[in-house]
Each structure stands twice: as C-alpha cells, then as structure tokens.
Amino acid sequence: MEEPKVKIGLEVHVQLTKLKTKLFCSCPSDYRGKPPNTYVCPVCLGLPGSLPKVNIKAIEYAIMVALALNCKINKRILFFRKHYFYPDMTKNFQITQYDRAGGAPIAINGYLKLNVDGKEKIIRIRRINIEEDPGKLVYPTGSIITSPYTLVDYNRAGIALLEIVTEPDIETPAEARLFLQKLRSILEHLGVCDCSLEGAVRTDANISIAGGGRVEIKNIGSVKDVEKALAYEVLRQKEAFLKGVSVRSETRHWDDVRKVTVPLRVKEEEQDYRYFPEADIPPIIITDDYIEKIAKCMPELPDERIKRFQREYGLPQYDASVLVSNKKLADFFEEAVKLYGGNPKKVANVIINDFLRWLYEKNMRISDVKTEPGDIAELLKLMDKGIISIKIAKEILPEMIVTGKKPKEIVREKGLLRISDEQVLKPIILRVFSKHKKAVHDALKDEKAINYLIGQVMKCTRGRADPVITRNIIVQLLEKIRKGENII
Amino acid sequence: MVTLFSKPAYMLKEEIISESVSIVDLVCKLYERIRKLDPIINAFITLRSEDEVIKEAERKEKEVKKGKAKGLLFGIPIAVKDNISTKGIRTTCGSKILENYVPPYDASVIKFLKDEGAIIIGKTNMDEFAMGSSTETSYFGPTRNPWDLERVPGGSSGGSAAALAAGLAPIALGSDTGGSVRCPAAFTATVGLKPTYGLVSRYGLIAYANSLEQIGPMARNVTDIALLLNVISRYDENDGTSIPGKRPDYVYSAINPYDFKEHLKVGIVSEMFSEGVSEDVKKSVLRVLDKVSGEGVEIDEISLPSLKYALPAYYIIAMSEASSNLARYDGVRYGFRANTDGDWNKVYMETRAEGFGLEVKRRIIMGTFALSAGYFDQYYLRALKVRTLILNDFRRAFKRFHILVSPTMPILPFRIGEKIKDPLAMYMCDIETVPANLAGIPAISIPAGFVNNLPVGLQLMSRPLSEDLLLKVSKMFEDKIGLKDLIAPL
Amino acid sequence: MQVGRSSEELLEHLSWLARVKLTRREKEILVKDIAKIIDFFNKLSEANVENIEPTTHVIELVNALREDIPRKPMESGEALANAPSKEDNFFKAPRIL
C-alpha cells in the first residue's frame, strides 16, 4: 500500500524582541523577569479612552522579514480587530490584520528554500501578519484544571508579533524542523528577534494525511518539540488511516510530559471573530522607495553567509551550513577565526566536532555558555605551539564550556603542559618498558606495536607526553636493545 | 446688571485678569446655584469638593495678582461630560459598570484645559455610554431640561447642556457620535459644535463609536465655543486619528465679520426638511433663514439623495463599533464585577448583564449581529459603502455652497419617558444630526427660536477643517437672530 | 422579518457571542426589537452600492506612526488601583475551567 501523503502547514508567531517598545504603545519591551503588571500603560492595559499608535520600527522589521522570505509586500495596509473574550486580552479583541473590506496583511506569497538531503525544497509562505501579543495567565495551583482562579500579568500584552503562515508544503516532521531552524536563523541574522528568549517563537502546526481531517496542534515551544509532536501525530494518523478509521478535524495540544498529543478539553466552538477594520489606526502606505531603502540596508542573510564562509574560509558546504544555522554560533566562529589568525578550517573543526557536541551533551545553548571566541583561539594557539596535545585540548574543552575558564588557566591548574623534555620523558618511558616487557618484545619485531607503548606513555603522563618525541625516544631505545646496549 | 453666573466666558476671562471678577466669588456663586438647582436638574454625576475648588481658585487669584496669570481660559470653571477621563476624578459614562472607576490619567483635552488655566468643577450626566438622545438611559437618573423640567434636555450630553442652560457653568465639554452635542444644545437654547473628525483629540474619550465621535465644545454663545475650541483642538500625538498641523485662531475668525467679496452661499438640504420634521420646527427654522438672507447671502436648495440611508447606516456602524468598544468591560481590570461563582464565561456574562442598562445591551446585541459571520457583508460592509455615498454627496454640495443648514432636531423637546420605550422612535430623533458624523464634517447648533416656550435649534454644516468659516457664519447668524447667553428662568 | 423561533435563537446566539446575559423580561423585549431593528437596517438594501468602495476611515490621514522610543510605564500601584480583585500584583480573574 502506498505511503499516505502527509501535508503539514505551520503558523509561527515570532516576537519582534529587538524592538525597544511594544507594538501600539511606548512601554519598554524587555518585560521578561520583571514583576507583574509593571510594564503596562493605559494603552496596553486597554483602559477606557486609550488609543493605539503603531511603532514605525515594527513596520520596518516586518518588511525586512517579508523581503527575506521573498514575499510580495502590500502597499496599503490596515489593521483589524479580532474579537474573542479571554482574561489575557485587555480589550477582548486583538488588533491584527485581515483581508476583508479593503484590508490586507503586510506580505503574502513568499517562499523559503530548504536543503532536504541534498535536494532543494521550496516551502511557500502564504502570508505575514503584524499583531499584538496577549498577556500571560498564571495558574496558582500550577494547573489550568485545578486552579480556582486565574492570575493575570499584562506585561507581555501589546508586544509586537509577526504571524508567519506557510502553505501545507511540508511533508515530514524533519522538514518542519529544518524549516523552523532556517526561519530562526533568518530572523536572527536580520536582527529582529532573539529566538532563544523564552516564548519568542511559538508554533502551531496543521497536519493532515491522505486528504483526511485536519488536526491543529497549538502552541508548541521549541523546535525539538515541534518535530516530536508532529512525529507522534503522523504516527497516530497513519495508524488510523491503515485501520480505515477516519481522522477527525480537531484541535489538539502537545503534552510535553507524556510526549503525546491530546484533544483540547475545552470545546472549540466555531469561533466567530467578527473581524472589522480598526478605525483608530489610519491606513499605512508603503512606497516602493521605502521598501528599496530597507532592501539596500538588509544585513547578510544565512544563505549568503553560507556561500561566503565557503568562499572566504574554504569550508565545505555542510560545515558552513551547520555554523550558520545559528547566528550566535556563526558570529562566534568568525570572531574566533579573527582572533586565531590561523587556518579557519581548524576553528571550524573544533567548533563543529567538539564544541557543539559538548553543548549538546551538557544540554546548553550557545547563549548560556561563558566561553568566548578568544578562548577557542587560545586553545588552538596552545596546540599549535605544542604546549598541549590534541588529546589534552579535547579534555579541557568541556571544562572551559562549563566553567568559562580560559584554557591557559585550566592547563596551569591541572598541570597539563606537554612534556617535550627528553630528560623528563626518558625515565617515564623506561618505567613503561619495565612494566610492559612483552610489549617491548613485540615492538622489537613489529613496528606497529610501538603505538601500544606510546599509548602507555600517554597514559602515564595523562596525555601530556609529546607523541613525536616519545616515539623517537622509544625507537632509539629499542634500537639500543637490539644492539644489546644498556638502555638506562 | 449681568449676573456673575450668566456672564459669557470671553467676558469673564478679561474681567478675571483685570481683577474686576474674583475667581473665588465666581466659583462660590456657581456652587451655590448647583446646590440649589442640581438636585432637581441632575446635571452633575460628580462634583469636585467645593473646598478643593476654592483652594484652586485662591491659588489662581494669587497668580492674577502677581501678574503671572497665563492661559486662554484662566480661572474659567468648566463642566466635563462623564465619558472624558479625568485623573483622580471618578469617570462613569453614566453606567453602573464604571460607577467607581477612577482613571489614572487625564484625557488630552483635559491636559490642554489645565494648561490654559481652566477649573474643572465636575462631571456631567449623560446617556449610558453616550447611547441615547435624551439623557434618560443614565444609571444616575435622567437630567431635566431647565426650560421645562418635565422634558428631556436632549442627549447624550444632556448634563453639560442643562448645566449651561441653568447657569451652573459658563462652558462645558460634550461628545458627539450621532448628534450628542448638537441635540442637547438645540433642546436647551445653547450652542454646541461637533468638530471635523480628527480636529480634537479623542485620547481619553471613552469610546462608543470611534470612527464617528468627537469631543465638542458647548457654551451659551458662539464666541465661547471658539474660545474653547482654540484650547481643545490641538494636534495630539497620542491619537493616531488626530490631524496634524496648527489650527487657526477660531476666536479671531468668529469675531471678524464675513468678508462679502464673495456671496455667502447657503444650502438647504431638501432631505433634511422632509416629512420627518415637525411643522413647528420647520417654521421656526425657515423664519430664521428669512431673517439672515438678504445682502450678500444667497439661499438655495439642494438634494442629497443618499441621506435617506443615513440613519440606518449610522446605526449599523455605531452599534457595530459599540459592540467592539464595550467588549473590554468584564470586571477583571476595573469596573463592576458580578458577585458570582463560576468560570470566566459565567462571570463575564453576569457582570455585563448587571453592569449594562437595556439600551446599551440592545446596541451591543445589534452590533454583534451586524458584524457576525453571514451578516457582515449585508450590513456592516454595506453601511461602509453607503457612508462613501454620503461623503460623496456632501463633497458635491460643498462645491456649490459654503454652508448647509437644517433644523438640528426634527421635533421639539419631548417629555421624559415619552420615547424611551420605543427605541426606533428615539433613533429617529437623530435624523438631522447623523449625516455630519458619517461624513466627518463640522456641524454646529445655535438657538433659532422658541415654540411654545420650547427651544428650537438651527444646524449649520461646512466642509472638513473649515471651523473658522463655520464659526464666522454662526456668529453672524447669532447676531442677526439675537438669541445668545440664554439662561432658563428657574 | 417575522418574529419567530429563529429570532429567539438568534438572540440566544448573540447574547452568548457578546457575553451579555439577558433576563427573561429583557429577552421578551429584545426579541421584538431585533425584528424591528433588522427591518430598519434592511433599508440599506435599496441603496445602490455597486462599485462603491467602503469608507473605513473618514479622514484622509495615513501613516500615523510612532518612534520606537521607550517611555516610563505606569506605576504598578496605579495599574491595579481599579482592580475589583487582585493578588500579589496580579489581576485576579475567574477560573478558566
């Protein structure tokens, strides 16, 4: 039986975290961690008589995103009211965009190119809307089900959001992950959003299989969770399909603890949002000149940067893509290259093969890490000068990452300097010889067995012995033994 | 001998600076009258404490003595409609749902008034959330017309108009969504102006229908209107619909006579003199037009056919916007909250059930209807298109005429309780006034005369942003008609 | 438009959409009003609006925009001063479920 066709569409809500103020008022936008209801004003609190006024930079950022996603930008935009009652809504309507009564979202009909297993795949962007974030609900018992009342903090109310909606062109959970990674990289490179901030990027996913019911999974936080939720959902729907059971169109919620999607307990009624134009905000006219001005000043986008890394640093495409997938990582890399001054490929290798691996193992993100690009440069320089071996370098890297200490510090503290002094090495080698007589015997016949002896020396010296010098000394000593000379 | 409480603001202004009038005396006199008359008239919902106001008056008098008195309205008391936010002073919109709401900020016009030295004495009664033409839907009881206490003063700014007509304040602020400044002006023989949409900041005006409404000056003569407009009509960056640019000096325009190089062309709109208008009113207004026509004034007729759709279009738009603007009242952040157990839907439903009066509920329901799925195109969207027709008709009219005239109200002031049970009959009262809100053009009502001792108002309209011309012509008509600074014999 | 069951259902639906509970008496009154008011609204169907653009904003203003410059927010005491119910600087709202 043919694999049923999977159609996935994503609706991504992105906070324009780099704006200094909210979308419709001048409240500061850095509300995270602030005491509740201290970053509010009559406008975002929706006090009677208050009026919204649009942040000009929000329009600029929206246009930048639209250009980066190859969209058509609408020249005359209106805002609309979307009505629904909920305690996190200060006005019980959200000011957003719509396409009726002459309204139009800021951008439509764009696309994003993905590299899926070496092949190019295009994911179409249906539209981009500018809209405001609601406030935050806090459940005193920790659960929406058992809380006898709800606490509300409106610090987040009015923060500028872009809603980016794709066509259902995505076909696998892995593609969804790739899409989100690329989108995040683009947003970071544009400098409009710090995607690592909590709640800065939220995703709703729509998935249907073989023309069956469309399931919406709401409000998924991390990229990892999106992939997991979709994988679960694809499986669930495929099983139903194979059994001949039809899949219901419904809204589900990703339970991160049990790792399953569950139907929303609250009955999702046919929502009549009663959209109509926001009369308090006059139309915004966007001229071709204005768009061109913005286009000229656009920062380097990920695709361009990948090509430049290949050109300037001689990196293979794969390595360049890994580095650029996260702007902070790419910036880190370039800074390290500058400070190192040597072969950029070496820097790339350390970062991709070792640095990233340790970040993943210790479940840290690059923004959490105290290690600076200069530290990586220093590490490489120490290796180049022969002060430490590659083995030692790989050992101290995780400690650098966790403690933020400089490589020289760690080397000094742990006494990890490379031993290249023959006077120091010879007695150690002799001790090894006396402990491993059989190996010495083997090494006399078979050159390859020398490696075992070198290994033992490394073990004794905790990797500090200079391998080349060690090898030379061992070879010399073996020669002496062959000749029957005294080796002590 | 002109009594202190009946003096116009432009006169009080001079006399305060020249120290022939004491601000403290003025304030005391007004409070004395308010104490005596307001229990009957019910013009005020909230009065600032007399002590507090006297202290402010004393401070201002000191400034006058030092020669430091600055401000276009220095020392002038003003009554403010209770849907305009005043920091620290309760602002109720005539509703139970905001009965104890104290705004933490001033509306921009209040800031401007304070900057120019005006003294806010209290907040005036109004139809609940400005929804009405008679000031009968207020949670705080109806206001009585000082000219006939059994009759309505008009609405929704009835409290402000009654305060003026009873000599309880020299100037006042109202708001006009479909006639709410002009209607009470007409019913109380006072003057009320609805400015061009966008001329006066709405920041702080508690919204009913935000694409239609404006805060409007109210007074007993045209010059005071111009004076008040000079203060409140500034550009305000807090209001996205505020029109940028410097305003002309409206007082200068009003008191300098019309330059008759070009004949003043005055248009009578046929649709506004049709069967809906009572004969009494028609006669009264036409008599006035006779008086003013003559040298340099040409009066002619014009038909604006789209006006027959103005009233339904207005109500669809106003009710739709009301259903949206009043959605925020749920008892979570401010205002009345029902004392009931239950989830948020239940609490919201009970809160709004108990907090809103019947007319407000009616308009919210009908507005929700006009915006809802399946009805939006046929009602709301269509109403917006009719609005375009009306705008176009007025543009055409202003190519021919400088000023358009009509009666302000189709009927004489009616008795309290007479129309309140028939909402459509009440809505019909707005037939002359809503076109100006739909078109966003300035419109003013001035006293035209009396019929059976009941006031009749004449409405004048002009093109957008031409308040200088409108006030100039209104002053000219006021001079010819001879009715100004009228206070009811109480 | 006739007053019938559909008017009552419509009123029930609108009352829910608008979150305004109605007493029995109010429902009796409004059910009749709805019919009359919809008739009144229907006058617009006589207007010829073919090829007419809707007017969403009556003045010809565009681009009313604000610079991205932060201003001091409200004091939190002020923000919560009118709250009917609060706890620890949060607004206290009814339960969700």
Side-chain angles (χ1 to χ4, degrees):
Chain A
M1 189 187 213
E2 217 192 85
E3 270 289 297
K5 190 153 200 302
V6 175
K7 279 177 147 197
I8 297 172
L10 297 178
E11 244 177 64
V12 190
H13 287 93
V14 175
Q15 277 187 349
L16 295 176
T17 68
K18 297 288 191 183
L19 288 175
K20 298 204 193 90
T21 62
K22 295 186 177 182
L23 180 55
F24 297 119
C25 67
S26 305
C27 282
S29 62
D30 56 340
Y31 65 90
R32 287 174 173 82
K34 304 291 192 297
N37 296 302
T38 51
Y39 273 48
V40 294
C41 74
V43 178
C44 53
L45 258 190
L47 290 189
S50 62
L51 294 172
K53 193 115 189 255
V54 179
N55 182 337
I56 193 173
K57 261 223 142 31
I59 305 295
E60 199 184 299
Y61 284 7
I63 293 176
M64 285 167 71
V65 174
L67 288 172
L69 296 178
N70 309 293
C71 295
K72 169 172 176 295
I73 296 172
N74 281 309
K75 302 297 173 53
R76 182 179 186 272
I77 60 176
L78 291 181
F79 282 89
F80 275 68
R81 294 184 179 184
K82 174 182 183 184
H83 299 86
Y84 60 98
F85 287 87
Y86 208 57
D88 64 1
M89 306 291 290
T90 59
K91 305 181 287 291
N92 286 318
F93 61 81
Q94 178 197 38
I95 301 180
T96 174
Q97 296 192 289
Y98 201 56
D99 55 3
R100 249 193 192 163
I106 183 142
I108 54 172
N109 299 344
Y111 61 86
L112 193 151
K113 286 194 194 150
L114 291 183
N115 184 327
V116 181
D117 298 328
K119 280 208 297 198
E120 183 184 273
K121 175 157 184 173
I122 293 202
I123 309 292
R124 291 169 299 161
I125 305 287
R126 180 181 298 172
R127 67 159 198 272
I128 301 178
N129 274 356
I130 307 174
E131 56 188 41
E132 52 176 351
D133 221 345
K136 260 207 171 137
L137 299 182
V138 174
Y139 306 108
T141 65
S143 154
I144 189 177
I145 302 170
T146 58
S147 287
Y149 54 86
T150 315
L151 298 176
V152 197
D153 172 16
Y154 294 109
N155 284 350
R156 193 182 70 178
I159 291 285
L161 290 179
L162 287 187
E163 182 190 60
I164 300 172
V165 181
T166 74
E167 298 289 357
D169 294 343
I170 296 171
E171 294 176 296
T172 68
E175 276 176 27
R177 172 180 37 91
L178 289 171
F179 175 87
L180 288 170
Q181 278 171 345
K182 182 128 191 215
L183 179 63
R184 289 164 88 109
S185 182
I186 290 175
L187 294 168
E188 296 234 335
H189 279 83
L190 286 175
V192 303
C193 177
D194 180 351
C195 298
S196 65
L197 291 176
E198 173 268 324
V201 181
R202 294 166 245 156
T203 309
D204 293 346
N206 287 297
I207 170 170
S208 73
I209 289 197
R214 204 181 75 159
V215 173
E216 185 184 12
I217 310 173
K218 284 196 91 70
N219 228 328
I220 317 169
S222 70
V223 177
K224 274 197 205 137
D225 280 340
V226 172
E227 191 173 9
K228 283 189 210 153
L230 283 171
Y232 175 86
E233 198 44 35
V234 167
L235 208 58
R236 187 185 78 89
Q237 291 194 17
K238 274 192 181 159
E239 277 180 12
F241 175 76
L242 290 171
K243 285 199 196 123
V245 176
S246 64
V247 172
R248 221 160 39 126
S249 280
E250 60 175 345
T251 302
R252 295 172 80 90
H253 156 78
W254 170 246
D255 184 331
D256 192 40
V257 173
R258 297 188 292 151
K259 309 285 185 221
V260 295
T261 65
V262 289
L264 269 191
R265 280 172 152 266
V266 178
K267 184 166 80 121
E268 270 284 313
E269 288 192 346
E270 261 299 333
Q271 280 278 30
D272 183 355
Y273 294 117
R274 303 184 299 291
Y275 286 98
F276 82 118
E278 173 57 83
D280 291 337
I281 301 178
I284 296 178
I285 306 292
I286 298 173
T287 60
D288 284 331
D289 277 347
Y290 185 60
I291 297 175
E292 233 190 87
K293 217 171 64 166
I294 293 176
K296 282 211 184 89
C297 300
M298 292 270 278
E300 186 182 39
L301 290 178
D303 284 348
E304 288 162 31
R305 198 174 196 183
I306 290 172
K307 293 205 186 88
R308 181 169 65 81
F309 276 19
Q310 291 174 257
R311 232 179 23 241
E312 254 180 59
Y313 304 122
L315 299 181
Q317 206 255 4
Y318 176 78
D319 289 11
S321 308
V322 170
L323 290 170
V324 174
S325 70
N326 180 317
K327 177 171 192 284
K328 292 194 183 92
L329 187 65
D331 292 344
F332 187 94
F333 165 73
E334 288 207 271
E335 188 60 23
V337 167
K338 216 170 27 173
L339 295 170
Y340 173 53
N343 186 348
K345 284 199 189 139
K346 282 196 188 165
V347 181
N349 285 337
V350 169
I351 290 181
I352 294 174
N353 298 327
D354 301 297
F355 187 66
L356 277 183
R357 181 168 60 88
W358 281 114
L359 285 186
Y360 182 77
E361 292 220 3
K362 297 198 183 287
N363 208 12
M364 290 170 87
R365 295 173 311 173
I366 190 157
S367 35
D368 303 327
V369 151
K370 299 197 197 96
T371 309
E372 289 169 19
D375 300 341
I376 300 291
E378 194 183 291
L379 189 69
L380 287 168
K381 283 187 195 157
L382 287 176
M383 280 198 277
D384 286 347
K385 288 197 197 133
I387 296 173
I388 57 173
S389 63
I390 295 180
K391 191 163 183 293
I392 297 286
K394 282 188 199 275
E395 260 179 47
I396 61 179
L397 186 56
E399 192 171 335
M400 279 166 63
I401 292 172
V402 171
T403 65
K405 288 195 186 150
K406 310 273 167 216
K408 280 195 185 137
E409 255 182 271
I410 301 175
V411 163
R412 209 183 350 213
E413 274 173 19
K414 300 213 163 139
L416 296 173
L417 290 175
R418 182 178 286 197
I419 306 174
S420 15
D421 189 344
E422 278 200 31
Q423 304 272 32
V424 177
L425 280 175
K426 192 158 170 210
I428 297 173
I429 294 172
L430 288 175
R431 255 198 314 255
V432 166
F433 272 32
S434 67
K435 270 213 205 129
H436 300 273
K437 292 201 172 87
K438 184 175 185 297
V440 175
H441 192 75
D442 292 338
L444 283 170
K445 294 194 209 110
D446 183 6
E447 255 208 47
K448 286 207 202 107
I450 291 178
N451 290 331
Y452 177 81
L453 290 169
I454 295 176
Q456 289 307 310
V457 173
M458 285 299 184
K459 214 162 143 195
C460 275
T461 61
R462 284 187 293 124
R464 288 180 295 150
D466 183 320
V468 172
I469 299 177
T470 303
R471 176 181 279 272
N472 288 344
I473 297 175
I474 290 177
V475 165
Q476 277 171 26
L477 289 174
L478 287 175
E479 203 38 52
K480 280 197 172 153
I481 294 175
R482 259 190 224 110
K483 285 188 184 156
E485 283 171 24
N486 196 354
I487 56 172
I488 305 214
Chain B
M1 173 65 184
V2 186
T3 55
L4 193 51
F5 62 83
S6 65
K7 282 189 191 211
Y10 67 81
M11 203 183 282
L12 284 170
K13 195 174 119 87
E14 305 298 322
E15 296 180 4
I16 284 172
I17 301 295
S18 69
E19 296 187 65
S20 50
V21 160
S22 141
I23 306 176
V24 175
D25 280 352
L26 174 59
V27 158
C28 287
K29 187 76 217 176
L30 291 175
Y31 270 76
E32 187 191 307
R33 265 185 92 73
I34 292 171
R35 265 197 302 274
K36 191 171 88 181
L37 299 170
D38 205 43
I40 307 164
I41 294 179
N42 197 29
F44 286 93
I45 294 178
T46 302
L47 205 54
R48 267 179 80 200
S49 99
E50 191 171 353
D51 282 341
E52 203 186 297
V53 174
I54 289 178
K55 283 206 183 78
E56 188 181 333
E58 283 168 351
R59 271 198 310 271
K60 290 196 148 85
E61 260 185 30
K62 285 208 185 85
E63 306 269 310
V64 170
K65 290 197 160 63
K66 286 195 223 152
K68 287 208 176 124
K70 259 194 309 189
L72 294 172
L73 289 171
F74 196 85
I76 308 289
I78 183 169
V80 173
K81 185 176 184 181
D82 209 13
N83 60 355
I84 298 173
S85 300
T86 41
K87 182 171 180 176
I89 305 175
R90 174 172 83 143
T91 301
T92 70
C93 289
S95 179
K96 175 176 178 172
I97 217 166
L98 288 180
E99 188 179 6
N100 297 306
Y101 170 66
V102 179
Y105 75 102
D106 271 332
S108 298
V109 298
I110 298 296
K111 264 197 238 110
F112 300 155
L113 285 170
K114 285 180 178 173
D115 285 345
E116 298 295 336
I119 300 177
I120 295 161
I121 58 171
K123 309 300 292 296
T124 57
N125 201 13
M126 51 183 284
D127 280 300
E128 190 181 357
F129 281 102
M131 299 183 196
S133 315
S134 61
T135 313
E136 290 178 278
T137 67
S138 170
Y139 177 66
F140 302 93
T143 296
R144 295 178 181 278
N145 190 328
W147 296 96
D148 181 336
L149 297 171
E150 299 308 309
R151 292 180 189 257
V152 302
S156 59
S157 313
S160 284
L164 292 168
L168 308 181
I171 48 175
L173 284 187
S175 74
D176 191 311
T177 312
S180 292
V181 155
R182 293 162 283 159
C183 159
F187 276 9
T188 57
T190 57
V191 185
L193 168 77
K194 180 202 85 68
T196 306
Y197 184 86
L199 185 73
V200 176
S201 168
R202 286 183 300 114
Y203 187 78
L205 171 65
I206 298 179
Y208 151 31
N210 49 324
S211 81
L212 294 162
E213 59 203 3
Q214 277 288 281
I215 293 175
M218 301 176 75
R220 293 189 289 264
N221 65 76
V222 172
T223 310
D224 281 353
I225 294 286
L227 181 56
L228 193 39
L229 192 62
N230 271 355
V231 173
I232 64 174
S233 66
R234 303 181 179 168
Y235 166 69
D236 179 23
E237 58 171 12
N238 291 309
D239 177 355
T241 59
S242 176
I243 298 175
K246 201 161 181 293
R247 296 3 183 183
D249 182 342
Y250 295 114
V251 173
Y252 180 85
S253 304
I255 61 185
N256 280 285
Y258 181 74
D259 174 0
F260 280 94
K261 273 203 218 111
E262 187 191 354
H263 279 194
L264 182 68
K265 299 199 192 74
V266 175
I268 292 182
V269 181
S270 2
E271 284 79 7
M272 289 174 126
F273 276 84
S274 62
E275 339 84 51
V277 184
S278 87
E279 283 311 310
D280 284 335
V281 168
K282 257 191 230 170
K283 262 191 257 170
S284 192
V285 168
L286 289 171
R287 207 179 311 135
V288 160
L289 292 177
D290 266 339
K291 247 193 222 171
V292 303
S293 78
E295 285 235 5
V297 179
E298 273 172 34
I299 303 188
D300 208 345
E301 204 174 311
I302 183 170
S303 163
L304 302 181
S306 65
L307 290 193
K308 61 171 159 309
Y309 307 115
L311 202 62
Y314 165 79
Y315 271 104
I316 291 173
I317 295 171
M319 290 180 178
S320 300
E321 293 181 1
S323 72
S324 174
N325 290 319
L326 271 65
R328 68 193 67 199
Y329 301 105
D330 57 20
V332 172
R333 294 159 296 283
Y334 44 82
F336 170 78
R337 180 179 341 194
N339 188 0
T340 179
D341 241 337
D343 68 3
W344 55 281
N345 277 319
K346 183 151 189 283
V347 177
Y348 283 18
M349 293 209 58
E350 298 268 5
T351 294
R352 293 156 68 78
E354 287 177 53
F356 289 141
L358 183 60
E359 182 58 33
V360 168
K361 286 185 186 140
R362 189 179 283 124
R363 296 195 192 197
I364 290 176
I365 296 284
M366 292 318 300
T368 306
F369 168 78
L371 291 176
S372 60
Y375 296 110
F376 176 88
D377 285 349
Q378 194 184 344
Y379 294 101
Y380 182 76
L381 191 57
R382 183 165 261 266
L384 292 192
K385 293 181 181 175
V386 168
R387 190 170 190 178
T388 305
L389 293 178
I390 292 171
L391 257 165
N392 291 343
D393 262 355
F394 273 112
R395 281 199 188 112
R396 186 169 51 84
F398 289 123
K399 286 207 176 85
R400 260 182 76 189
F401 298 99
H402 294 105
I403 302 282
L404 297 173
V405 291
S406 80
T408 308
M409 296 299 287
I411 48 176
L412 295 171
F414 45 91
R415 289 185 200 290
I416 293 174
E418 188 181 312
K419 291 191 191 286
I420 195 69
K421 292 216 159 62
D422 187 351
L424 279 173
M426 191 68 87
Y427 300 162
M428 288 299 156
C429 294
D430 298 340
I431 202 164
E432 307 286 301
T433 46
V434 301
N437 298 85
L438 287 166
I441 58 176
I444 190 172
S445 176
I446 61 174
F450 288 80
V451 173
N452 304 334
N453 297 321
L454 296 174
V456 173
L458 171 70
Q459 176 174 237
L460 295 89
M461 296 174 275
S462 63
R463 60 158 57 85
L465 296 177
S466 66
E467 278 81 354
D468 44 356
L469 175 66
L470 185 63
L471 289 167
K472 190 186 288 289
V473 174
S474 301
K475 175 89 171 51
M476 188 178 97
F477 278 32
E478 180 187 70
D479 288 339
K480 288 223 166 109
I481 298 169
L483 291 172
K484 59 183 268 195
D485 298 321
L486 301 171
I487 292 195
L490 282 159
Chain C
M1 179 177 155
Q2 276 187 309
V3 177
R5 248 197 116 227
S6 60
S7 264
E8 274 146 15
E9 279 175 348
L10 179 60
L11 184 58
E12 212 44 56
H13 173 64
L14 294 172
S15 153
W16 164 252
L17 266 189
R19 299 298 191 276
V20 180
K21 185 155 177 240
L22 299 169
T23 64
R24 194 154 44 104
R25 180 81 190 107
E26 283 171 338
K27 284 186 198 169
E28 279 167 21
I29 298 173
L30 290 180
V31 131
K32 298 197 198 102
D33 286 346
I34 286 191
K36 284 196 215 138
I37 297 177
I38 293 179
D39 265 341
F40 168 58
F41 285 176
N42 283 338
K43 282 215 166 60
L44 285 198
S45 62
E46 298 161 24
N48 182 0
V49 291
E50 214 179 300
N51 295 325
I52 301 288
E53 287 300 306
T55 294
T56 56
H57 294 82
V58 78
I59 45 170
E60 299 197 354
L61 205 51
V62 293
N63 293 0
L65 300 165
R66 162 183 65 84
E67 293 296 327
D68 188 28
I69 299 173
R71 274 204 277 201
K72 199 161 160 272
M74 263 169 96
E75 296 298 327
S76 76
E78 271 185 334
L80 291 152
N82 283 290
S85 183
K86 54 193 166 204
E87 186 179 285
D88 292 342
N89 240 53
F90 285 94
F91 289 92
K92 202 166 160 187
R95 61 186 156 88
I96 301 294
L97 294 175

